[in-house]
Amino acid sequence: MNSLKTIFDHDTWQEIFGSIAKNKTRTVVTVIGVLWGIFIYITLSGSAKGLDNGFNREFKDMAMNSMFVWPQSTSIPYGGFKIGRSPRLTIHNASVLKEQVPEIQYIAPRNARGVRSNLGPAASVVYRDVLRTYNIYGDYPEYSKISTKKIYKGGRFFNNADITNKRKVCVIGERTQKELFQEEDNPVGKFIRIDNVYFQVIGVHKFNPGGGFETDGDIFIPFDTFRNLYNTGDLVNWFVIAAYDNADVIAVEKKVKNVLKKIHKVSPDDQRAFGSFNLGEVFNRIKGFADGMTFLSLVVGMATIFAGVIGIGNILLISVKERTNELGVRRALGATPGEVRIQIVLESVFLTLIAGILGIILGAVALATINFFTQDLADFPYTNPTVPTQLVLGALLIMTVMGTLIGLIPAQRAISIKPIDALREE
């Protein structure tokens, strides 16, 4: 009870503020040390979270453990074949990969005309008297499980029945809809002509940056329909593969390439025969970098805070030395050692918390400023830099404990002085 009374006593706080006022410059400089530490922690860890959030935003509809694999050209002669041979992927390769690489959850063969394709230019698309050209993708329904398609206008993505029956159906993009149809028209159920063949629109996909690298003008049709329309046979441009969540995506990528090398009689040492882009590996690197920055911010921030708190302890030691006579008078008038100790510790905790709160406020302002200047940058994977509340509260708790412990040193110095000796000090 006496301790609580001392903490909330008006005279106690009056003496604390009086002590701070006597050493304004010293106090401000030392408090800045603690403030700077929490500021660094908030800013760096928040920035790392912003990078992580930005990457998740860019690829939120794409399986993070996915990869793309496509044929290139051989760089090593092997099995009687010369350098420069281009392996050709087939639909059958997909079933072999699924069988021999059990870590694969989904595999989607893909064909395309237009961008990133050797199967020909973009397709001519006509609706009534409007003519445009768009990239055409031939896909299986599994692709939508790897790269989620946001279908609206009451439509859908194609299913296995569309593949089996080779239906002439298509899913168009938002830009395609705006360019071909009137604003009040619902394109679902309408027919468009793709390279002189009529297709029924069964859905409109919303623009999805990072979700498979398509654009809002691309058109998707069933794989087998694409094969019949453009006479591609069993050829496949590339595979999109998603591994199970607990699989090592880098190891899966190596296994996939090794199986393809065996199928197409390519040297095991040939690194150029098959190209790939491993989204899972990139995601892990970004995640590791963000985690590293968070850890670095914690180490640097806590070290800076600790240095600042030690500075506060030094100030209080000097303050105790300068207030020896005053403390002697208080002891002579009946102040107990516990009351003196609480006053010194309170001063230490007060300065530490004030510095911490100011550092958190400045860090939040810095993160808000960074977010303001980066939120509209569509090509910059960065958004919403924040620090979880529990980490901020945890940092404040640690600072309070540190302030308390460091305050015990000058407090012990204060109560070790005998009243009679303190009163003799000039």
Side-chain angles (χ1 to χ4, degrees):
M1 292 297 293
N2 289 334
S3 298
L4 288 175
K5 182 179 178 181
T6 304
I7 291 174
F8 295 104
D9 186 69
H10 177 267
D11 292 338
T12 299
W13 288 100
Q14 190 174 26
E15 290 181 19
I16 289 174
F17 290 130
S19 174
I20 293 173
K22 291 178 183 178
N23 305 285
K24 292 180 182 178
T25 303
R26 260 189 339 219
T27 302
V28 169
V29 170
T30 306
V31 163
I32 287 176
V34 180
L35 181 153
W36 184 247
I38 194 69
F39 174 80
I40 288 176
Y41 170 68
I42 295 294
T43 305
L44 286 182
S45 59
S47 298
K49 186 63 176 177
L51 183 65
D52 194 26
N53 290 340
F55 190 80
N56 285 330
R57 178 194 65 184
E58 291 298 312
F59 296 97
K60 65 180 182 299
D61 293 315
M62 194 75 188
M64 288 301 179
N65 53 348
S66 61
M67 66 195 73
F68 306 81
V69 181
W70 61 89
Q72 296 182 147
S73 59
T74 58
S75 60
I76 299 175
Y78 184 78
F81 295 101
K82 298 180 180 179
I83 293 177
R85 179 171 58 95
S86 297
R88 309 189 76 178
L89 300 179
T90 67
I91 297 174
H92 177 65
N93 294 162
S95 58
V96 175
L97 285 171
K98 196 74 167 63
E99 179 183 344
Q100 297 191 18
V101 186
E103 295 89 348
I104 293 177
Q105 184 177 18
Y106 301 113
I107 181 167
R110 303 198 74 193
N111 276 333
R113 283 180 68 91
V115 66
R116 298 186 299 274
S117 173
N118 58 1
L119 297 181
S124 297
V125 180
V126 178
Y127 178 71
R128 293 182 177 174
D129 57 347
V130 181
L131 170 64
R132 294 285 190 275
T133 58
Y134 300 103
N135 300 322
I136 304 293
Y137 289 85
D139 281 308
Y140 281 94
E142 283 78 8
Y143 181 62
S144 65
K145 298 177 182 178
I146 303 173
S147 175
T148 303
K149 296 300 169 194
K150 295 181 178 178
I151 309 296
Y152 70 119
K153 297 291 184 183
R156 64 177 178 86
F157 200 68
F158 37 82
N159 53 37
N160 289 325
D162 297 322
I163 297 289
T164 303
N165 298 317
K166 300 180 177 59
R167 290 173 181 164
K168 296 181 178 63
V169 293
C170 66
V171 175
I172 65 175
E174 287 181 299
R175 178 166 61 86
T176 311
Q177 175 202 346
K178 292 177 182 178
E179 293 176 350
L180 293 181
F181 296 87
Q182 297 296 322
E183 186 175 353
E184 63 276 8
D185 287 345
N186 184 351
V188 176
K190 303 290 196 309
F191 286 84
I192 62 176
R193 197 165 74 243
I194 302 176
D195 284 341
N196 294 319
V197 175
Y198 281 95
F199 282 77
Q200 185 179 31
V201 178
I202 60 172
V204 179
H205 68 88
K206 295 180 71 67
F207 179 53
N208 178 21
F213 309 103
E214 296 94 13
T215 70
D216 54 352
D218 296 332
I219 298 177
F220 303 92
I221 67 176
F223 189 92
D224 285 357
T225 306
F226 184 102
R227 179 165 55 173
N228 285 349
L229 180 63
Y230 296 110
N231 195 29
T232 57
D234 290 336
L235 294 181
V236 173
N237 272 160
W238 72 94
F239 291 126
V240 182
I241 299 170
Y244 286 100
D245 292 338
N246 59 350
D248 182 346
V249 291
I250 299 177
V252 173
E253 179 187 3
K254 291 180 180 178
K255 287 184 179 181
V256 166
K257 286 187 175 181
N258 288 337
V259 171
L260 290 176
K261 288 175 183 178
K262 290 180 181 178
I263 294 173
H264 296 279
K265 295 181 172 57
V266 173
S267 170
D269 300 322
D270 197 329
Q271 302 300 318
R272 289 173 49 189
F274 295 97
S276 63
F277 175 76
N278 194 322
L279 185 60
E281 181 182 6
V282 174
F283 177 74
N284 289 338
R285 287 179 180 176
I286 297 294
K287 194 77 174 174
F289 177 74
D291 291 344
M293 279 192 64
T294 301
F295 178 75
L296 178 64
S297 69
L298 179 63
V299 173
V300 174
M302 288 297 108
T304 309
I305 291 171
F306 184 67
V309 170
I310 289 177
I312 290 176
N314 288 333
I315 281 184
L316 293 177
L317 281 171
I318 296 172
S319 176
V320 166
K321 178 67 177 176
E322 293 174 346
R323 295 160 57 196
T324 299
N325 188 267
E326 172 196 332
L327 293 171
V329 171
R330 287 195 63 196
R331 292 290 304 279
L333 293 176
T336 65
E339 291 172 342
V340 174
R341 181 186 292 110
I342 289 175
Q343 179 186 334
I344 303 298
V345 171
L346 273 179
E347 187 173 342
S348 174
V349 173
F350 176 74
L351 291 175
T352 304
L353 284 179
I354 288 296
I357 292 171
L358 289 175
I360 290 171
I361 293 173
L362 291 177
V365 171
L367 292 178
T369 303
I370 294 172
N371 185 55
F372 176 78
F373 286 107
T374 57
Q375 62 183 350
D376 295 326
L377 300 178
D379 296 330
F380 187 61
Y382 193 93
T383 185
N384 192 26
T386 55
V387 181
T389 304
Q390 59 267 28
L391 294 184
V392 176
L393 294 178
L396 275 177
L397 178 61
I398 292 173
M399 292 175 65
T400 303
V401 172
M402 292 173 66
T404 302
L405 294 177
I406 206 70
L408 289 174
I409 299 174
Q412 188 61 35
R413 165 68 178 167
I415 64 176
S416 66
I417 302 174
K418 296 179 179 179
I420 189 64
D421 293 334
L423 290 173
R424 289 175 182 160
E425 289 282 341
E426 294 293 334

